[in-house]
Amino acid sequence: MAEGATLDYEAADGAYRETETHNGEVIAKFYRGEVHYTVDGHAAVINVNIKVTDLEAGQPGTPGVTRTPSSVPMNPALDVSWTAAAANGTTLSGYEAQYRVKAAQGEEPAAWTAYTGTISATATGVTLPDLEAGATYEVQVRAVTSDEGPGPWSGTGSGRANRPPKRTALGTLNPSWLLEWGGDDSVRTISGNFADDDGDTLTYAASAAYPGVFRVGIEGASSDQMRVHVLNPATARVTYGAHDGFGGYVSEFVDVSGFANLTMSVAENSGAGTAVGDAVTGTPYDDGNDETDDALTYSLTGDAAAAFVIDSASGQISVKQGATIDYETKTSYTGRVNWTVQGQAAYVDLTINVLNMPLLKNLQVTRTRYDAPVEKPSLDISWTALIGPRGSITQYKYEYRKKGDANWTSRTVTAPKAGLTLTGLEPGAIYQVRMQALAGTEAGAWTAIAEARANRPPTGTSLQLADGSFGVGVFVRPTSPIADFFADADDDTLTFSTSSNYRGVAYSYIGIDPDVEGNPVKLWARAINPSTATITYGASDAYGGYASKTWKITGVANPVRSVPENSPAGTAVGAPVVGSSWEGRQVTFTYSLHGEALDFFVIDSATGQISVRQNSPMDYETKSSYTGQVKWTVQGQQAVANLTINVIDLEAGKPDAPTVTRTRFSEQSPPALDVAWTAPDANGTTIDGYKVQYRKQ
């Protein structure tokens, strides 16, 4: 190609020598010329045709046109998608789209509307928003190159814009609803109120203008039932509608009124402050603002306000101060309980009937006394029955609860009766009780609330006895009085008791200490066999309360026996080593000998008598002492006495220092000395002579 030349397919046709057409459309353009050269001195010519090819982008595929899905209401939109155009050697820079409403048969097509958004070179789809519902739209797209500009338009795709649901004849009736507060919810199928020309599956939604008045929801197997629940007896508009999944939505509304008629009763002669029925309480609406008080405020109007008052915070109605409730004067009162929710007025039409009924008086609640500990305390309820003009009392109804609880537990008991007991209570909790008399089907007035605290059992103090070992037969006692080991939150007078798990090992009792001024009451214990027992000591109040502690003591026995040396086999070694019986019973023990003593001695298993074993010479000079253990069983527990057997030395005693004097002679004789001594102790032997030795000083 010549230097500086530019090949431009779009240049005016005059720039080309020749063009090629197909069906009247230029499909190629040519430059024609000749190439001259010589061969062996002869001139030669070659005719040359240079074809210039158009490099514009290819034609995209005919677009598909479908409705744009949407879960929220919106104007109809269409999703347009196409197959990417071929680049044909160029670089695509984007796409352009145009659309128009499809003309009816026989009408002139409307002008195309260009899609104003930017469509990237890699895009194969775009959404056309804010279209005319139900209209059919035609759409074309074309590719654009940075060098050659737009390519050819695609074929024309078409699709219908969404047609939203519509109300049926049933859905346009719009009646008002009247629903009872506290009654059954209203559940109505709403799918028949709507239709869809596109045949779409519809979903339903519902809401209340004031959600603090009504709770509204969609439910049911087909999710096409609207439930309306009355939260407060007021009026609010409920809106419900259908969605088609493509942004189409249609709604309907109904004005719903909640109403309430409430009848209560109060016994005649009820005093000021007597609660009348249960509290009248609406449902507070939580607006999500922590700085806003969502609590409801109640007021009472009508002639009921002359004899009754309502607690503005709780909704509890009670007899007004100074009011006289007399069946013979007035048998009923009417009025309204009023409050507001989200600025909407809510009210209950109220009737309070006065009952001509028997009464109860002098209701009292006291702790139940017990002679022995119980797992949980009880409270005794007592009252005085007054027979009213309607006849004899047939039953008593009583209710109780822990103080601070909202709900009562109700029970009845058949008359005549003047007392009952609440069992299985929580220690230390305060219980409230109220009662009324029943005469047939008529109920009397509730008494004023009486209350009492369930018994608090004694508790252990920090003072504790340390486990220890003590000699068998020795009485032991702690320094502190037993009262110092326990305390009682109710300041009850406590009684003390003690027991041993093995009475045959050790026993205990509660008694005064005569060695201490004032003779304080203490815990005493005494081991009677050399084993271990656990002493349990405790404190009881008069209301079934009990607390205990334990003290483990081990009895220690160290018997010492002796036997003369040279004692023959069978010689008894001191007194028998025996265990102690208890509680005045005769107990048989079986004794056994253990340790080194077993090699030299035997024990009679029935009597505990120890004797010298056969072929066991007792020689003080060889071994002067033996140790071992005597064992027996007491109430399944092994008792062990640590035994020592001493061998008694049997040699003659030491004579006193002799006296030495000159021997008297009646005639001449060599000198001699007389030696004299006091005979020593034979120590159980027989002295058969003496030995004497002497030397010159």
Side-chain angles (χ1 to χ4, degrees):
M1 194 162 104
E3 184 72 29
T6 300
L7 296 181
D8 183 6
Y9 183 87
E10 283 71 31
D13 289 344
Y16 298 94
R17 302 293 179 86
E18 192 174 328
T19 61
E20 181 182 340
T21 62
H22 177 72
N23 293 332
E25 182 178 347
V26 176
I27 62 173
K29 298 179 180 181
F30 299 89
Y31 289 96
R32 299 191 186 277
E34 297 175 343
V35 176
H36 296 263
Y37 60 97
T38 60
V39 179
D40 292 334
H42 298 281
V45 177
I46 297 175
N47 294 321
V48 178
N49 296 322
I50 300 175
K51 185 178 181 178
V52 180
T53 304
D54 187 6
L55 293 183
E56 73 176 359
Q59 184 183 40
T62 301
V65 183
T66 57
R67 291 179 294 166
T68 303
S70 176
S71 60
V72 296
M74 70 174 191
N75 292 330
L78 289 172
D79 288 338
V80 180
S81 61
W82 58 86
T83 304
N88 291 335
T90 66
T91 301
L92 298 183
S93 60
Y95 287 89
E96 294 177 346
Q98 61 184 10
Y99 60 98
R100 65 186 177 188
V101 176
K102 185 176 182 179
Q105 188 172 1
E107 293 182 357
E108 286 293 323
W112 291 99
T113 299
Y115 177 76
T116 57
T118 299
I119 307 175
S120 71
T122 59
T124 56
V126 73
T127 298
L128 305 179
D130 297 323
L131 303 179
E132 178 185 341
T136 299
Y137 284 82
E138 296 178 322
V139 184
Q140 293 180 336
V141 295
R142 65 182 177 185
V144 179
T145 66
S146 58
D147 296 329
E148 297 295 319
W153 287 106
S154 68
T156 302
S158 66
R160 185 196 296 273
N162 185 57
R163 289 174 288 183
K166 61 185 179 182
R167 291 189 293 272
T168 64
L170 182 62
T172 59
L173 295 180
N174 193 30
S176 296
W177 295 355
L178 191 62
L179 301 179
E180 184 177 6
W181 181 52
D184 294 336
D185 294 350
S186 174
V187 180
R188 309 198 184 191
T189 301
I190 60 175
S191 55
N193 292 41
F194 305 99
D196 190 86
D197 290 338
D198 292 328
D200 295 328
T201 299
L202 301 181
T203 58
Y204 305 96
S207 63
Y210 297 102
V213 176
F214 299 115
R215 183 170 62 240
V216 181
I218 299 296
E219 61 182 43
S222 300
S223 298
D224 63 348
Q225 292 180 325
M226 179 173 68
R227 177 182 291 274
V228 180
H229 176 74
V230 183
L231 297 172
N232 289 284
T235 298
R237 176 164 290 184
V238 172
T239 300
Y240 58 99
H243 296 265
D244 62 11
F246 299 96
Y249 174 73
V250 65
S251 64
E252 181 56 281
F253 69 86
V254 60
D255 290 321
V256 183
S257 296
F259 72 94
N261 296 308
L262 186 60
T263 299
M264 297 179 173
S265 60
V266 61
E268 65 175 335
N269 302 319
S270 294
T274 300
V276 180
D278 295 327
V280 181
T281 55
T283 303
Y285 174 66
D286 184 1
D287 60 6
N289 186 351
D290 293 338
E291 297 180 358
T292 303
D293 186 5
D294 299 325
L296 302 178
T297 301
Y298 304 96
S299 63
L300 180 64
T301 59
D303 78 338
F308 303 92
V309 293
I310 189 169
D311 186 284
S312 62
S314 69
Q316 178 63 59
I317 299 172
S318 59
V319 177
K320 192 173 186 177
Q321 189 72 35
T324 299
I325 309 301
D326 180 21
Y327 178 84
E328 284 68 32
T329 302
K330 189 173 178 62
T331 60
S332 68
Y333 298 82
T334 59
R336 278 186 174 179
V337 177
N338 308 277
W339 67 94
T340 59
V341 176
Q342 289 185 278
Q344 308 307 298
Y347 63 87
V348 173
D349 287 319
L350 178 68
T351 300
I352 301 177
N353 293 323
V354 179
L355 300 177
N356 188 18
M357 283 301 299
L359 300 176
L360 294 178
K361 287 190 175 182
N362 302 324
L363 178 65
Q364 294 184 347
V365 184
T366 56
R367 289 183 292 168
T368 305
R369 301 181 73 90
Y370 286 98
D371 295 331
V374 294
E375 184 176 353
K376 291 187 176 182
S378 304
L379 290 173
D380 289 337
I381 304 174
S382 61
W383 62 88
T384 301
L386 301 178
I387 304 301
R390 288 294 183 92
S392 299
I393 296 173
T394 57
Q395 282 186 314
Y396 299 104
K397 182 177 181 180
Y398 62 97
E399 295 185 337
Y400 66 95
R401 65 184 178 187
K402 278 199 305 184
K403 191 172 184 177
D405 288 353
N407 299 321
W408 295 88
T409 297
S410 297
R411 298 284 188 271
T412 57
V413 61
T414 302
K417 202 171 183 68
L420 54 90
T421 300
L422 299 179
T423 60
L425 304 181
E426 178 183 327
I430 296 176
Y431 285 84
Q432 296 179 319
V433 180
R434 64 183 183 184
M435 294 191 70
Q436 64 179 176
L438 305 178
T441 60
E442 301 293 337
W446 286 105
T447 63
I449 294 175
E451 63 181 40
R453 186 189 297 275
N455 186 56
R456 290 175 287 186
T459 55
T461 65
S462 60
L463 193 61
Q464 186 72 35
L465 289 176
D467 300 339
S469 299
F470 307 97
V472 169
V474 177
F475 287 96
V476 294
R477 62 194 184 277
T479 303
S480 301
I482 192 169
D484 292 350
F485 291 85
F486 301 96
D488 190 86
D490 295 327
D491 291 329
D492 294 328
T493 298
L494 300 180
T495 58
F496 304 99
S497 60
T498 183
S499 64
S500 170
N501 63 336
Y502 299 115
R503 177 64 180 79
V505 174
Y507 67 89
S508 59
Y509 64 93
I510 305 297
I512 64 170
D513 188 343
D515 298 332
V516 177
E517 183 179 354
N519 303 134
V521 176
K522 293 185 176 181
L523 169 67
W524 295 73
R526 181 177 184 239
I528 60 175
N529 278 291
S531 188
T532 300
T534 298
I535 302 300
T536 300
Y537 57 103
S540 301
D541 59 26
Y543 306 98
Y546 175 73
S548 65
K549 296 185 178 186
T550 59
W551 182 26
K552 185 178 291 186
I553 66 173
T554 300
V556 178
N558 299 304
V560 178
R561 299 291 184 267
S562 61
V563 59
E565 66 176 336
N566 303 321
S567 294
T571 300
V573 180
V577 177
V578 294
S580 297
S581 300
W582 65 94
E583 293 180 344
R585 70 180 68 183
Q586 184 62 41
V587 182
T588 300
F589 298 114
T590 300
Y591 304 97
S592 60
L593 184 61
H594 303 266
E596 69 172 358
L598 182 61
D599 294 332
F600 300 92
F601 302 92
V602 295
I603 191 169
D604 188 295
S605 62
T607 65
Q609 178 62 59
I610 299 170
S611 59
V612 178
R613 181 181 287 278
Q614 193 73 31
N615 299 320
S616 297
M618 297 289 103
D619 181 16
Y620 178 85
E621 284 70 28
T622 301
K623 187 172 178 64
S624 62
S625 178
Y626 298 87
T627 60
Q629 303 86 35
V630 177
K631 299 181 180 180
W632 63 97
T633 299
V634 178
Q635 291 183 296
Q637 309 306 300
Q638 188 174 73
V640 180
N642 297 311
L643 174 68
T644 300
I645 300 176
N646 294 321
V647 179
I648 301 172
D649 187 7
L650 293 185
E651 67 179 3
K654 181 179 179 180
D656 295 334
T659 59
V660 182
T661 59
R662 289 177 296 168
T663 305
R664 289 178 175 274
F665 290 101
S666 60
E667 57 186 28
Q668 185 177 0
S669 177
L673 291 172
D674 289 335
V675 179
W677 60 86
T678 303
D681 189 352
N683 288 333
T685 66
T686 300
I687 298 175
D688 55 8
Y690 292 94
K691 289 183 179 181
V692 179
Q693 60 184 6
Y694 62 96
R695 66 186 176 188
K696 186 167 65 176
Q697 186 172 0

